[in-house]
Amino acid sequence: MLHILGIRHHGPGSARSVCNALASIQPDCILIEGPPDANPIIAQLQHADFKPPVALLLNTPVQKEVRSQAVFYPFAEFSPEWQALQYALRQQVAVEFMDLPLQHRFALEKQWAEQRLQQALADDVEIEPELQVPDEAAQNLEQHYLSIRRDPIQLLAEQAGYQDSERFWEHLVEQRPHAGEVFTAIHEAMSAIREDVPHNDSPRQQREACREAYMRQCLRQAEKDGYQTIAVVCGAWHTPALVELKKTKKDD
């Protein structure tokens, strides 16, 4: 059985809810939104000197005339991901990160950057400068997507009469001592929000699609490996994308 726990990164209430849910679910496998590149070092977290705050730093090799890329993943004691890792290690439960590996994300981002540069150069050659009118509709669509993706809770907050999405989330999720039922509500809310997301096949949306496709692949692999009770700890935004494993298999 699959249990998807949608959280706010570094949310103390989310961390508490994750701990309660894992104790209730008692999974035999936990998959966490994070870089699989770091899976080989998860076992090191059992070391007595490994205490939060800690962080992962993943980067490309430094090469002459090539700008290196890096991503920083911080963990505090109140990070839901950290609590899930600690639970898995204490209970000797299988645990892995399940996001798109950074080696692929770095390569894709470089590829998309090159494509944008080539397109810009092609536009300069083929179109007279005075005729280069920005596609306002496309720009508005992308800005709408970015605003939703940057703060998806804002739409819910406004409907509930809040001006601040952070305060809305604090009152609804972080400050309430609930267990697993909150994750069902989060999933339903994110499903409703994602229905309003415009699709324009931008590099940003392509990256998100690749990330979620890889997450689903990890879930299928866990099921194939024979795990019966799988818990997923991921950002709330991704939860609706992880439920249809059969319908999305071919596209993934």
Side-chain angles (χ1 to χ4, degrees), residues 4-242:
I4 303 177
L5 311 180
I7 52 94
R8 181 174 75 175
H9 302 297
H10 314 302
S14 291
R16 181 177 60 245
S17 294
V18 165
C19 290
N20 292 338
L22 293 177
S24 175
I25 295 167
Q26 297 186 351
D28 55 0
C29 176
I30 300 176
L31 298 175
I32 301 172
E33 180 184 342
D37 319 66
N39 281 338
I41 67 172
I42 288 178
Q44 295 181 25
L45 299 181
Q46 299 178 88
H47 196 285
D49 292 335
F50 229 129
K51 299 178 181 180
V54 297
L56 283 169
L57 176 64
L58 296 100
N59 63 282
T60 57
V62 177
Q63 301 176 4
K64 291 183 178 179
E65 300 180 358
V66 177
R67 183 174 65 86
S68 62
Q69 295 172 280
V71 175
F72 181 69
Y73 288 85
F75 296 95
E77 186 175 3
F78 52 78
S79 299
E81 299 90 341
W82 176 263
Q83 291 298 329
L85 287 166
Q86 294 302 309
Y87 175 91
L89 294 172
R90 286 195 306 270
Q91 302 297 323
Q92 298 183 336
V93 171
V95 59
E96 288 188 347
F97 290 121
M98 61 174 293
D99 205 343
L100 183 67
L102 264 297
Q103 60 175 326
H104 299 321
R105 288 180 62 178
F106 287 148
L108 286 170
E109 288 169 4
K110 180 180 179 182
Q111 174 182 316
W112 288 325
E114 292 173 349
Q115 289 175 350
R116 288 195 297 271
L117 177 60
Q118 292 173 359
Q119 185 62 50
L121 293 174
D123 290 344
D124 287 340
V125 171
E126 298 173 6
I127 304 176
E128 293 297 326
E130 60 271 16
L131 298 180
Q132 293 185 27
V133 179
D135 188 337
E136 185 174 349
Q139 287 184 339
N140 290 340
L141 199 63
E142 177 67 3
Q143 287 302 316
H144 182 45
Y145 168 76
L146 289 176
S147 66
I148 295 175
R149 186 64 185 89
R150 189 178 298 114
D151 190 5
I153 306 301
Q154 183 64 38
L155 291 178
L156 295 177
E158 292 173 355
Q159 292 297 317
Y162 288 77
Q163 294 183 341
D164 184 350
S165 61
E166 288 293 327
R167 181 166 296 180
F168 168 75
W169 183 270
E170 283 288 333
H171 288 175
L172 188 69
V173 178
E174 297 295 329
Q175 296 178 0
R176 296 191 177 186
H178 31 46
E181 72 276 2
V182 69
F183 296 114
T184 300
I186 290 173
H187 172 79
E188 292 174 352
M190 291 300 107
S191 297
I193 291 174
R194 287 180 65 127
E195 290 180 359
D196 192 48
V197 174
H199 297 279
N200 60 357
D201 203 33
S202 66
R204 185 182 295 270
Q205 290 197 18
Q206 291 180 48
R207 181 186 65 186
E208 292 294 290
C210 287
R211 291 180 62 198
E212 292 174 346
Y214 191 89
M215 291 181 191
R216 289 189 292 268
Q217 293 283 50
C218 290
L219 292 176
R220 295 187 190 99
Q221 185 61 50
E223 291 180 341
K224 185 178 179 180
D225 290 341
Y227 294 109
Q228 298 299 310
T229 308
I230 303 169
V232 176
V233 179
C234 65
W237 174 259
H238 299 295
T239 62
L242 304 182

